[in-house]
Amino acid sequence: MDEKLARLIEGLNRDLNAELNTIIRYIRHASVLKGIAGHEVRELLQKEVPDEVKHAMYLADKIVALGGVPKVEPQVPAEVFDWRAVLEDSLKFELEAIAGYKERAAQAEEVGDIGLKATLEMFAEDETRHKEEIERLLGGPAF
């Protein structure tokens, strides 16, 4: 297998696991939040899970289409109970996802997969929207 393609598949597996871990984290965090502020954060997290599932399914299928094998490595989410800590935790992972998708889009372009590049850019856009919603709930942008 070509070295660039192998690196792309490895990166897509990292992205897949990031999505799977986000699903696990959002379900766990949403389940423990209480109070009015917790309710709004819970609503946001529950609303985002279907997007993350779609991303994960696409990534797993694309890994196979490129000749790789999806490698699932779930992580136990942090034991966070405060709505602000949940949002700060989520924001960190959204920023990582955006950076990962930008990097992977460049790698997809290098191997000539323009469809994958466009999809990854769309995923980066989705994650940017998630980031902005989290920042709004935190009281403004992180910068």
Side-chain angles (χ1 to χ4, degrees):
M1 177 180 293
D2 173 78
E3 185 180 322
K4 287 181 182 180
L5 183 58
R7 281 197 315 269
L8 173 61
I9 291 170
E10 180 183 315
L12 291 171
N13 263 308
R14 281 194 306 273
D15 297 334
L16 169 63
N17 278 283
E19 293 291 354
L20 294 172
N21 288 321
T22 296
I23 294 164
I24 293 167
R25 199 172 48 257
Y26 281 5
I27 290 170
R28 191 261 171 218
H29 289 342
S31 72
V32 300
L33 293 175
K34 297 177 182 171
I36 292 173
H39 176 75
E40 187 166 348
V41 173
R42 176 183 163 90
E43 294 290 315
L44 170 70
L45 298 179
Q46 289 176 332
K47 181 183 82 165
E48 301 302 343
V49 168
D51 278 350
E52 310 302 341
V53 170
K54 283 191 279 188
H55 294 176
M57 290 298 303
Y58 175 86
L59 293 167
D61 287 344
K62 191 62 178 185
I63 289 165
V64 172
L66 292 172
V69 176
K71 296 184 172 126
V72 177
E73 300 167 346
Q75 297 175 347
V76 176
E79 294 256 337
V80 182
F81 295 92
D82 172 73
W83 67 269
R84 180 168 289 282
V86 164
L87 289 176
E88 289 167 351
D89 184 60
S90 298
L91 180 60
K92 177 182 83 166
F93 287 105
E94 292 297 345
L95 292 169
E96 288 175 9
I98 293 164
Y101 284 135
K102 286 180 180 179
E103 179 183 348
R104 223 70 59 231
Q107 289 176 314
E109 186 172 30
E110 280 183 28
V111 300
D113 194 330
I114 301 306
L116 175 58
K117 176 186 181 228
T119 300
L120 293 170
E121 288 172 341
M122 182 185 66
F123 287 1
E125 180 184 336
D126 289 345
E127 303 301 349
T128 299
R129 182 180 43 78
H130 298 170
K131 174 190 84 75
E132 290 168 352
E133 290 179 88
I134 291 168
E135 289 172 335
R136 180 187 59 77
L137 288 172
L138 283 169
F143 334 73

